[in-house]
Amino acid sequence: MFGGKIKGNTAKKMRVSLQAECQNCFGLCCTALNIVASSDFAMNKAAGTPCLHLQADYSCHIHSSLREKGFKGCTVFDCLGAGQMVSQTTFKGQDWRKHPQIAENMFRVFPIMEQLYEMMAYLAEALSYEVSSSLAEKLHNQFEQLQHLTRQDADTLLAIDIMTYRMPINALLLETSEHIRHHLISKVSDAKTKRKYNYRGVDWVGKNFKGKDLTATDLRGAYLIAANLQNADLRGVDFIGVDLRDADLSGANLSTSMFLTQMQINSAKGNHKTILPAHLKRPSHWND
Ligand code: SF4
């Protein structure tokens, strides 16, 4: 069943299922989370308190001008579908405004569901690569285990110790990344294989990599805030946990970048020449 790459359609279906449907959510990202005032969010907001701009129908009063009004972070956030899962499945479509007795638990479940969905998205991507049957089977089993958890009741979800899932999943994602990147590196010339490929956790805030070849580099957990990555070759780069806020990706080639998320792309700058992986959308705020 798991011979090499899991059937393309299955992996694609898994990814497609991880999409936010705000119309089926009770404004959980605008209510449940604790937000500290910064350049991304113009005011402090305590966890469990609805944002002042959240309307009675759970739409945002300033939706069309979030960036201009200092709420850039709201255009970046992506729950991947955790919001509608908590609203419609865990709490069976009960609105926390009409049923205030469920509000506290609903708001506590949301960040847990969000983390489960984040891990599922990474696993779905890993399953889209050509990896060994045994690795594909382990990835698939983890995905199914998480999917099963997402369907549990609120008490079960609240009792989850997320780290017990994160650690083995991280090891599998790392194995996937190394396998794919080594394959890419083995195809380049000897001169290029001598360059360093591991820059995990590096601080490259504001650095200039314009036009640089960073293919197949492991950048896990790196800080690339406001870095200049214009026209850089970023194919095969592992982007797990990379902080790309305000990094300039104009003209960069990210077509086969690994574990890059919509939130990372939303937080960066880019233009119509930026080549994105097929599963990611070009943010509407990118100036072309
Ligand atoms: S500003 Fe709008 S999108 Fe942002 S948290 Fe408030 S209601 Fe939600």
Side-chain angles (χ1 to χ4, degrees), residues 15-115:
R15 271 195 197 167
V16 169
S17 70
L18 299 170
Q19 302 276 344
E21 289 169 13
C22 301
Q23 70 280 12
N24 289 322
C25 172
F26 299 125
L28 296 183
C29 64
C30 308
T31 310
L33 307 177
N34 178 55
I35 309 177
V36 177
S38 69
S39 58
D40 286 339
F41 200 83
M43 60 194 180
N44 289 316
K45 193 197 79 59
T49 308
C51 170
L52 293 176
H53 300 299
L54 186 67
Q55 304 188 107
D57 66 354
Y58 297 113
S59 63
C60 171
H61 177 56
I62 57 166
H63 180 71
S64 56
S65 54
L66 283 164
R67 293 202 149 232
E68 296 82 340
K69 295 210 159 84
F71 292 84
K72 192 167 69 169
C74 302
T75 66
V76 169
F77 187 79
D78 179 12
C79 77
L80 296 165
Q84 72 253 23
M85 190 66 179
V86 174
S87 301
Q88 302 303 333
T89 303
T90 319
F91 289 90
K92 302 182 171 50
Q94 295 180 93
D95 178 332
W96 56 265
R97 277 189 168 128
K98 290 185 192 136
H99 304 273
Q101 72 280 8
I102 63 163
E104 190 188 337
N105 269 359
M106 196 179 222
F107 301 150
R108 284 172 61 217
V109 166
F110 176 63
I112 294 165
M113 189 69 83
E114 212 196 323
Q115 292 182 71

Side-chain angles (χ1 to χ4, degrees), residues 269-283:
K269 297 175 184 167
N271 65 6
H272 69 285
K273 289 188 177 154
T274 308
I275 308 173
L276 293 172
H279 66 283
L280 298 182
K281 295 186 198 112
R282 194 171 304 277

Side-chain angles (χ1 to χ4, degrees), residues 21 38 48 56 58 92 100 125 164 181 193 230 249 261 264 270:
E21 289 169 13
S38 69
Y58 297 113
K92 302 182 171 50
E125 176 172 342
T164 61
R181 288 183 305 97
T193 55
Q230 287 176 23
L249 298 169
T261 67
Q264 284 170 311

Side-chain angles (χ1 to χ4, degrees), residues 122-135:
Y122 283 136
L123 289 166
E125 176 172 342
L127 281 163
S128 71
Y129 297 121
E130 192 82 46
V131 293
S132 68
S133 318
S134 67
L135 178 53

